[in-house]
Amino acid sequence: MDSLKDVCGHQYSLPSEQPAPAYLDSHLRQLAQPFSQTLCALAVDLAPVVADAVEAHLDAAPPPPSPIISTTPTARRQHRRTGTPARPRALRKRISLMTTVAMAERQHLAATVLELCDGQKGAADAPVSAISAMFALLAAELRDALPDAVSSAGAAARQIGRAFTALGTADESQRRSESDSVVEFAGVPHQLDADPDSADFNSAESLVGIFTAREDAAEPFSTGLVEYLIAGMNRHARSRPNVRHAWATVFTCGTVRFCLLESDAIHLSSELDLGTRDGRRALAEIYIGLCLSESWRLGADPSMRWRTDIERWEIECPADVSDPHANPDEQPRPGARRLRRSARFAPPATSMTVYAQRLALFTADSFFGRFTRCFAAARTPTAEPDLVLKDSWQLVPDNCGGGSSSDDEDEIAVLDRIRSRMDAAQSDAVFPRLLCGGTVRIDTSDAAAARDTSLLILDDLDAYTRWTVPHGFRKEDVPEPTTPLQPEVPRLRRLHRRMVSGPVGQPLQALKTEHDVVAVLADAMHSHTEILRHAHILHRDISLNNIMAVRIGNDLRGMLIDFDHGVDIAAVRNQKLPGNVGTGPFMSIANLEGLDVPRTAVDDWESLICLLFCLAAKSSEARDEMGHIFAHVNAHGAADVKREMFQTTAALDSVIARFLNPSYLVLIRLIRELHKAIFMHARCQGTAQILLRSNRQVDPVQRRVQYAEEIHARCQSVLTKVAADSRSMSTLSDHMASISHQCCDLRRAHAPLSQPCESTESLSTLLDVAPESLHSPHLCSRSTSDTLTDSRPDLRHLTKAQLMQLLEDEELALRKRKAKGEQADSPHTKRRKMIHSAEHCDLPIVQLSSTRALSFVDLPASVHLPPVPP
């Protein structure tokens, strides 16, 4: 039977060797004890006292079918005949001093616990009640046993000690299905001296609990019970951002199993038989160890604290790497490494304290894996958030103390390099400016703070849960997995990394118009080009969540984020077979197939086309269908779909007609232009492999690497031109909207009260208003109705009476069309008709260029428009 579970999917592979059940049980019991030697010794002393007290209550409890304490003489005689084992003197004295009410309450709890231990039907009907009785009985005996502890640490242990109360997350009678026997609950902590009703539901020290059938708990990995553990842990982590790992209990009628849930695996202990004294004693030992353990030992992050007075998180960020401009007093030593990754314990480093909002900007869907979270933060408790704090668990080889290959994969090192190179080049590009970052450290009350890694959480069990090939690595670059018999081979470990950068952006989905979207994309890809030119860093993960819109003054700028997969474009590693990195639906063909060619900027531009497809989808159903097609069952399947889609212009047109909204003219035009620049190159046209006469195949995708710089320049030129045309169209739209509002005000001023005008139809008639009718300057425009001809009179020479008569005629024609049942055009359709009819207008308002974009030329002197950007 497997003792641990791979929970990270296909990205990693599990080592073949797994620990023996006895080895796993012993180490899990050690991990469930306090880290401090004083508290650990106290837990060892208290375990037998609490276990004996619980056994005494179980022996004195009434028969299980009776839910009420029986005080009849027959019951007392039965209790005397049963007899109890010899008890310690201190325990007999404490029991004799116990009040009658407390004794009756605990015997009632013991009777409920007996139902759970014996596996009777009553406990199965109310599982959470039986587990609550078990926890309450153990907590009560632990609370009474602490003052009797001989050690002087009893008072200190009472201050940090806690007890757990089992609470159901939903109605106990509800099941996920009719045949489902799983009931979820949570073990929430409260202080030993406090009222159990004061339990902290939001504490990261809570236990994840499941009550299930006996046969499911016996084989959790084959019966699907582990899926409930994964789902419960994901909910636990989403509601508690300061969780690092968690403990869980799997209860059944008669047995219990403890498990440790960490980033990469689920470690499950053997079954503890609650029907025996040894099983109940082992349960008491683990429970007391968890109650007396430090908060970080139970999975809480002590460097992240919730401040109720300011309603914000107070988070400490390490300053292994810092911005010299942000902290001018702290300068790095010449020639010193900026990243410190030493052994398990590291010297304390300076840190920066920030205050983050309660809700995260982004939280990963699953706790297992990197578990990335981003918070909007500020330097002071009351300031508006202007920074972004990113927290994640990165999987890297543990032999990264002196090499540079690991630093290239670390986002903190990449951002540090980008900041220094871009500042030296004095570039105007917007990028995440790193303020500080490094590995989180945990104060373990030792001589030095410990780096928060998987080794600190799992100790020796860390050797069995590190994966052989992490995401983005090649197999030959990663050492083989180690076991305790081979400690000299370096392992793969999780590092808890945290950084603070700025500014704060908003996602692309928050933008209101496609003109803003195109402007943000153009500026973000301009930053991509500048970073590649000056810092030689290739992003390799262009996706929907990695481009942000930033408002700097009155300008809307674009910013690339998430440089987790950023790599030096000139590194030797990039010349070899690279790994498949990035977000699945947006990955390029070469990235999906893992072709033996280096990654270039063309791969990121290909990812941008997939991003444009996502933004221009006609509906959410179409977007989901595209995501399902792009994220195929495997990487090669998705690559085959993209090869077929990008093969020819006709194939692209069919996909556009199937999935995209035809009203997104600018985005569809940008897709066509980028497709032409990338896939219609004269030397590497299309995506289908070509078979030569010598039986040698030529792949245009591989051949495209030779012309990467030329294609990159074309793509940048195309996006810049489309963005400029989009700005012109946006300016024209704003001007027409202002004319429409003024015309609507004019119609309201002169229309009779019995015939109110309709503001939604004001775009159908744009007038050149006479000076005496409006105080504003002359406005020049034309009608966009279907009957627009060249014989229409010149509006500039009409009087006010003639203008009003023309307005009445337009309204009469509109009412006639409505009476006939004709549907009026929408404002967007009217705007398109007006742009199309501009070629036939007498007034030289706009002129269509060869690229069908709008530009302002030969405007009359009386027309006042906002300045057009160059």
Side-chain angles (χ1 to χ4, degrees):
M1 181 181 63
D2 295 340
S3 55
L4 52 91
K5 170 70 176 177
D6 173 11
V7 292
C8 288
H10 65 279
Q11 293 182 354
Y12 314 111
S13 57
L14 187 68
S16 57
E17 183 177 357
Q18 294 193 16
Y23 180 85
L24 180 62
D25 290 342
S26 62
H27 278 74
L28 285 179
R29 292 191 183 187
Q30 292 179 8
L31 295 175
Q33 300 300 317
F35 187 81
S36 171
Q37 295 183 358
T38 303
L39 293 177
C40 186
L42 179 61
V44 172
D45 295 339
L46 291 177
V49 177
V50 174
D52 291 341
V54 171
E55 291 298 327
H57 290 298
L58 292 179
D59 292 338
S66 177
I68 304 176
I69 302 298
S70 177
T71 57
T72 60
T74 305
R76 289 196 295 268
R77 287 194 300 271
Q78 183 180 3
H79 171 67
R80 285 196 297 268
R81 285 198 303 268
T82 322
T84 57
R87 305 167 185 165
R89 182 176 181 181
L91 178 60
R92 294 198 305 269
K93 180 180 179 180
R94 181 161 52 85
I95 293 178
S96 62
L97 295 178
M98 193 177 302
T99 62
T100 306
V101 177
M103 178 63 73
E105 179 183 357
R106 297 189 187 183
Q107 287 185 359
H108 178 65
L109 293 176
T112 309
V113 171
L114 278 178
E115 298 179 3
L116 182 65
C117 297
D118 296 340
Q120 297 188 8
K121 185 178 179 181
D125 293 338
V128 178
S129 300
I131 298 169
S132 299
M134 172 72 76
F135 283 173
L137 184 59
L138 291 171
E141 295 302 330
L142 176 61
R143 189 182 300 109
D144 293 340
L146 271 178
D148 296 336
V150 181
S151 173
S152 59
R158 181 176 288 274
Q159 296 297 325
I160 68 171
R162 64 190 63 80
F164 293 94
T165 302
L167 298 176
T169 57
D171 187 4
E172 297 176 13
S173 61
Q174 294 180 356
R175 303 288 190 269
R176 299 201 177 193
S177 63
E178 293 297 333
S179 59
D180 202 345
S181 59
V182 176
V183 177
E184 299 180 3
F185 67 92
V188 294
H190 60 87
Q191 294 296 322
L192 285 175
D193 290 337
D195 187 6
D197 295 336
S198 63
D200 189 0
F201 298 93
N202 298 322
S203 175
E205 307 161 9
S206 302
L207 304 179
V208 179
I210 286 179
F211 185 91
T212 183
R214 183 73 176 269
E215 55 273 10
D216 292 341
E219 297 290 339
F221 300 117
S222 58
T223 57
L225 181 64
V226 68
E227 302 300 330
Y228 288 98
L229 289 173
I230 294 175
M233 185 62 202
N234 289 336
R235 285 191 295 270
H236 175 72
R238 282 194 294 267
S239 60
R240 301 164 181 85
N242 59 334
V243 66
R244 297 162 52 245
H245 63 276
W247 286 86
T249 56
V250 179
F251 271 97
T252 64
C253 289
T255 62
V256 61
R257 303 182 72 168
F258 281 87
C259 52
L260 179 61
L261 307 170
E262 47 103 6
S263 299
D264 294 303
I266 296 177
H267 309 263
L268 197 62
S269 68
S270 301
E271 292 183 338
L272 301 179
D273 190 358
L274 299 180
T276 62
R277 291 181 179 271
D278 293 339
R280 294 191 291 267
R281 186 176 294 272
L283 173 63
E285 178 184 346
I286 296 177
Y287 180 84
I288 293 172
L290 294 177
C291 290
L292 297 181
S293 293
E294 298 85 352
S295 60
W296 64 268
R297 191 78 163 173
L298 296 176
D301 187 354
S303 62
M304 186 175 181
R305 297 174 295 274
W306 174 251
R307 293 276 303 274
T308 56
D309 54 341
I310 59 176
E311 293 293 326
R312 287 190 179 185
W313 291 100
E314 185 182 41
I315 307 176
E316 296 180 5
C317 183
D320 296 350
V321 179
S322 59
D323 187 358
H325 300 286
N327 300 314
D329 298 335
E330 182 183 353
Q331 298 291 339
R333 293 180 289 105
R337 289 187 54 80
R338 310 196 74 173
L339 288 178
R340 292 198 305 268
R341 290 175 177 170
S342 57
R344 175 175 176 177
F345 292 97
T350 58
S351 61
M352 174 182 180
T353 302
V354 296
Y355 301 89
Q357 294 180 341
R358 183 182 185 89
L359 298 179
L361 296 175
F362 171 80
T363 303
D365 295 334
S366 175
F367 165 80
F368 301 96
R370 300 173 65 91
F371 190 43
T372 302
R373 292 147 295 162
C374 297
F375 297 87
R379 293 180 177 86
T380 59
T382 57
E384 289 295 326
D386 58 347
L387 303 174
V388 176
L389 183 139
K390 182 176 180 179
D391 189 284
S392 62
W393 288 81
Q394 300 182 6
L395 183 63
V396 297
D398 201 41
N399 59 344
C400 51
S404 61
S405 61
S406 178
D407 290 347
D408 293 336
E409 293 291 330
D410 186 78
E411 183 179 16
I412 297 177
V414 169
L415 290 180
D416 186 29
R417 177 178 177 177
I418 291 175
R419 181 192 59 206
S420 59
R421 298 289 180 87
M422 298 292 281
D423 289 347
Q426 297 182 353
S427 175
D428 61 343
V430 180
F431 59 91
R433 175 171 291 275
L434 180 69
L435 298 183
C436 64
T439 303
V440 177
R441 289 169 173 81
I442 302 296
D443 185 9
T444 59
S445 301
D446 286 349
R451 296 188 309 148
D452 194 11
T453 65
S454 57
L455 182 61
L456 180 65
I457 297 174
L458 299 174
D459 203 10
D460 292 339
L461 287 179
D462 181 67
Y464 294 98
T465 58
R466 299 307 100 205
W467 315 109
T468 56
V469 182
H471 193 48
F473 282 75
R474 295 184 297 117
K475 188 173 182 179
E476 52 267 28
D477 291 342
V478 179
E480 292 296 328
T482 61
T483 64
L485 301 179
Q486 297 175 328
E488 68 278 358
V489 181
R491 303 183 179 96
L492 296 174
R493 287 180 178 149
R494 289 281 179 186
L495 271 71
H496 190 185
R497 304 283 282 173
R498 185 177 292 164
M499 68 177 188
V500 175
S501 61
V504 181
Q506 59 178 345
L508 293 175
Q509 300 90 319
L511 300 179
K512 297 181 179 180
T513 64
E514 64 175 338
H515 304 294
D516 293 341
V517 172
V518 172
V520 170
L521 292 178
D523 197 64
M525 296 309 293
H526 169 70
S527 301
H528 177 276
T529 302
E530 290 292 301
I531 292 173
L532 186 62
R533 177 187 305 168
H534 300 295
H536 306 292
I537 296 297
L538 184 64
H539 190 274
R540 299 199 302 172
D541 192 12
I542 302 296
S543 60
L544 182 62
N545 295 326
N546 290 345
I547 296 181
M548 292 290 167
V550 180
R551 182 71 65 178
I552 301 179
N554 295 327
D555 298 332
L556 188 63
R557 306 291 301 274
M559 179 178 64
L560 282 176
I561 63 172
D562 194 2
F563 283 82
D564 281 325
H565 303 303
V567 66
D568 188 351
I569 195 65
V572 178
R573 181 224 297 250
N574 195 44
Q575 307 301 326
K576 301 179 182 179
L577 180 62
N580 305 101
V581 297
T583 306
F586 306 96
M587 291 169 63
S588 64
I589 297 175
N591 199 0
L592 287 169
E593 295 182 349
L595 299 180
D596 191 8
V597 290
R599 299 293 174 260
T600 62
V602 179
D603 295 278
D604 287 351
W605 284 102
E606 185 178 340
S607 300
L608 181 63
I609 296 181
C610 299
L611 172 59
L612 291 172
F613 268 94
C614 180
L615 293 174
K618 62 174 62 175
S619 62
S620 58
E621 292 79 8
R623 185 181 299 108
D624 295 339
E625 186 178 355
M626 280 192 300
H628 179 71
I629 294 175
F630 288 162
H632 204 265
V633 66
N634 54 49
H636 286 277
D640 294 339
V641 172
K642 292 186 178 181
R643 279 184 180 271
E644 182 179 356
M645 184 177 68
F646 297 139
Q647 168 62 22
T648 60
T649 305
L652 180 68
D653 292 340
S654 63
V655 177
I656 290 176
R658 178 182 175 185
F659 294 108
L660 302 190
N661 190 342
S663 62
Y664 292 131
L665 300 177
V666 182
L667 295 180
I668 293 178
R669 174 194 168 191
L670 183 56
I671 291 175
R672 298 181 190 276
E673 295 289 341
L674 290 178
H675 175 266
K676 181 180 178 180
I678 297 175
F679 296 99
M680 296 291 111
H681 192 274
R683 300 295 181 88
C684 48
Q685 188 173 1
T687 57
Q689 297 182 357
I690 304 173
L691 182 62
L692 303 180
R693 293 182 179 179
S694 58
N695 293 331
R696 184 172 63 92
Q697 288 186 345
V698 177
D699 191 351
V701 177
Q702 291 182 325
R703 187 178 179 85
R704 196 169 293 124
V705 178
Q706 304 176 14
Y707 310 97
E709 295 183 2
E710 179 183 352
I711 296 176
H712 173 57
R714 288 185 180 182
C715 292
Q716 187 64 57
S717 175
V718 165
L719 185 55
T720 303
K721 183 174 181 56
V722 173
D725 296 341
S726 177
R727 283 195 298 269
S728 300
M729 295 177 62
S730 178
T731 305
L732 176 62
S733 300
D734 295 341
H735 172 63
M736 290 189 299
S738 64
I739 295 177
S740 171
H741 290 314
Q742 296 188 39
C743 292
C744 183
D745 295 339
L746 176 63
R747 295 172 65 181
R748 287 196 184 97
H750 296 277
L753 295 178
S754 59
Q755 298 179 357
C757 69
E758 301 180 10
S759 60
T760 57
E761 302 296 334
S762 60
L763 283 175
S764 64
T765 306
L766 303 180
L767 300 177
D768 184 9
V769 185
E772 59 269 22
S773 60
L774 288 177
H775 297 287
S776 59
H778 291 254
L779 300 176
C780 179
S781 182
R782 297 286 289 180
S783 173
T784 58
S785 61
D786 297 336
T787 59
L788 180 63
T789 59
D790 293 338
S791 60
R792 190 178 182 89
D794 192 350
L795 303 180
R796 290 176 294 182
H797 304 290
L798 298 180
T799 63
K800 181 178 178 181
Q802 293 173 334
L803 288 175
M804 297 305 302
Q805 182 63 35
L806 181 61
L807 181 61
E808 293 177 0
D809 294 341
E810 290 284 346
E811 291 180 352
L812 181 61
L814 177 62
R815 285 195 294 269
K816 289 182 178 180
R817 287 198 303 267
K818 287 186 176 181
K820 293 180 180 180
E822 298 179 2
Q823 185 177 3
D825 294 335
S826 64
H828 184 76
T829 304
K830 294 173 183 177
R831 186 177 305 172
R832 289 171 55 190
K833 288 182 178 180
M834 187 189 65
I835 295 174
H836 178 70
S837 61
E839 296 174 331
H840 309 289
C841 289
D842 294 335
L843 299 179
I845 300 177
V846 295
Q847 172 182 332
L848 264 70
S849 63
S850 59
T851 59
R852 308 294 297 175
L854 295 173
S855 59
F856 295 92
V857 294
D858 301 332
L859 291 173
S862 60
V863 178
H864 297 273
L865 294 178
V868 180

